[in-house]
Amino acid sequence: MADNFVLPLPDDFHAHLRRGPAMAAYAERHAASFGRALVMPNTKPPVASASEIAAYRREILAAAARASGGSFEPLMSFKLLGGMSRSAVLACAQAGAVAGKYYPAGATTGSEDGIVDPESAEEALDAMQEAGIVLCIHGESPEAPALDREARFLPVIEGMLGRHPRLRIVMEHISTVESLEFLRRAPRRVGATATAHHLLCTLEDLLGGELDPQLFCRPVLKARRHADALREAVLRGEPRLFFGSDSAPHPRSAKAARRAPAGIYTSPSAIPALAGFFEAEGRLGALESFVARTGAAFYGLAPPRGSLELIRGPWTVPEELDGAVPFLSGRSLGWRLGRIEV
Ligand code: DOR
Ligand code: ZN
């Protein structure tokens, strides 16, 4: 068995880098695994205007430059707010946003100011279609029971596809068989991201033994049959299904509180964990399209430049990094991150 493995530098099409003092560490950590990341806008304050996009990009670039010699590229998104005008959306596109993010209000962390009435986003969706930017959707209906929320939101996406015949849509962090089937039936302008945690973990890992708040996320982890369907899809190289980490760090103390926020800090360990999974299934070669080809092609971006080395050898994921508990902390993985060449 070879003792190293070189991937094109992975892309992450769904990342939370936060804002404020903690952001620099999260951005540096991200730059150790990824060349580009689509940065989510559910920060405090939210990224919902052209000027915020420019300011947030500058903040991230300054932080990441210290880590990787300037090779990390944040791909910017903005948050759709109810009643957002066409001109506001076009200004975000002009400022370089490649995507706008739709959060149903209350669906997840930092979505209190999301969309209450889907009708209130229609003008913005038209403008996104006009500008050629992607609509990224957190597809969960907050009023439905926790495990049914994703499936209950699918008719809303269906309606958007009908009303906006050229709009490109990404269903974020899909976690169910129903979403996978929807993706397969959908036109080619629909893609989806899958996270490492929804592939590698199930509801049993979250609450089958002692409750593990570090594995609490939205959408909530699902039963085995859902994870199995997603695993099989990515191993086979499912068209238009690509990696988005949804790395979502919360300070360790917040996760230990009585009401733990949703979100898993996956960026430190997602790529080594995925390499272990693909290799165990005899499909290590298919990891490249999942993390470094399919997403860029969907977004119309150039293939990644540069490479990431993975080094074989047991690596125990630390109990804490950057003030948060990383995904699979304490577990021994078969690969660890090596050098990035650009
Ligand atoms: O678990 C999650 N955490 N899911 C999301 O959609 C948002 C994220 C966060 O921002 O913490
Ligand atoms: Zn997210």
Side-chain angles (χ1 to χ4, degrees):
M1 280 193 300
D3 57 7
N4 79 348
F5 175 68
V6 177
L7 273 175
L9 190 52
D11 287 323
D12 179 358
F13 282 98
H14 186 133
H16 298 271
L17 299 183
R18 312 302 191 202
R19 269 183 114 168
M23 185 272 282
Y26 302 149
E28 283 191 35
R29 186 75 56 192
H30 232 83
S33 288
F34 303 101
R36 296 179 289 207
L38 181 61
V39 182
M40 290 296 123
N42 64 334
T43 49
K44 300 216 162 38
V47 179
S49 68
S51 59
E52 289 294 329
I53 289 168
Y56 191 30
R57 179 197 276 124
R58 275 196 304 276
E59 292 162 23
I60 295 167
L61 283 174
R66 290 194 288 276
S68 62
S71 67
F72 180 75
E73 183 188 350
L75 303 169
M76 305 308 293
S77 71
F78 64 90
K79 192 185 224 175
L80 278 158
L81 302 177
M84 201 165 180
S85 69
R86 172 177 178 272
S87 59
V89 170
L90 297 184
C92 289
Q94 196 72 38
V98 300
K101 179 78 184 276
Y102 184 117
Y103 287 100
T108 187
T109 306
S111 66
E112 306 74 18
D113 53 356
I115 305 294
V116 177
D117 171 13
E119 179 66 32
S120 71
E122 282 295 295
E123 179 176 332
L125 265 49
D126 274 332
M128 290 173 68
Q129 171 173 275
E130 179 184 342
I133 48 185
V134 170
L135 172 66
C136 296
I137 303 180
H138 183 112
E140 289 197 287
S141 292
E143 67 284 358
L147 296 178
D148 301 342
R149 290 178 190 171
E150 188 172 292
R152 286 273 276 275
F153 195 80
L154 293 173
V156 179
I157 303 179
E158 189 92 58
M160 290 170 174
L161 285 168
R163 288 190 301 278
H164 308 282
R166 288 176 292 109
L167 183 61
R168 286 183 297 148
I169 292 180
V170 175
M171 303 160 70
E172 296 297 335
H173 40 55
I174 60 170
S175 67
T176 61
V177 172
E178 289 80 5
S179 289
L180 194 55
E181 288 171 348
F182 185 97
L183 173 71
R184 289 176 175 153
R185 283 196 311 272
R188 291 221 308 274
R189 61 194 168 95
V190 179
T193 55
T195 72
H197 46 285
H198 291 102
L199 289 168
L200 303 181
C201 301
T202 71
L203 194 55
E204 295 303 305
D205 299 304
L206 170 68
L207 48 67
E210 285 174 318
L211 181 69
D212 185 352
Q214 302 301 339
L215 287 179
F216 173 55
C217 61
R218 301 260 181 232
V220 172
L221 295 172
K222 299 299 190 301
R224 172 109 253 151
R225 72 184 182 93
H226 295 285
D228 280 348
L230 289 170
R231 287 171 179 233
E232 196 245 340
V234 301
L235 290 170
R236 272 196 308 100
E238 179 78 27
R240 296 177 279 119
L241 180 61
F242 47 91
F243 180 62
S245 72
D246 200 9
S247 183
H250 291 279
R252 187 176 195 146
S253 56
K255 276 294 210 179
R258 194 168 68 86
R259 298 175 68 86
I264 307 179
Y265 189 28
T266 56
S267 77
S269 49
I271 293 292
L274 285 172
F277 162 60
F278 276 71
E279 183 178 44
E281 299 290 330
R283 298 284 293 145
L284 190 53
L287 180 61
E288 174 172 330
S289 36
F290 182 53
V291 302
R293 298 273 178 238
T294 309
F298 183 86
Y299 271 87
L301 300 170
R305 279 179 304 167
S307 61
L308 170 69
E309 180 190 31
L310 294 177
I311 301 170
R312 190 182 296 282
W315 174 56
T316 302
V317 182
E319 292 292 340
E320 183 172 324
L321 288 171
D322 315 316
V325 177
F327 179 51
L328 303 176
S329 69
R331 296 263 291 270
S332 176
L333 304 184
W335 294 97
R336 64 188 160 84
L337 297 171
R339 281 166 57 86
I340 286 179
E341 305 273 0
V342 279

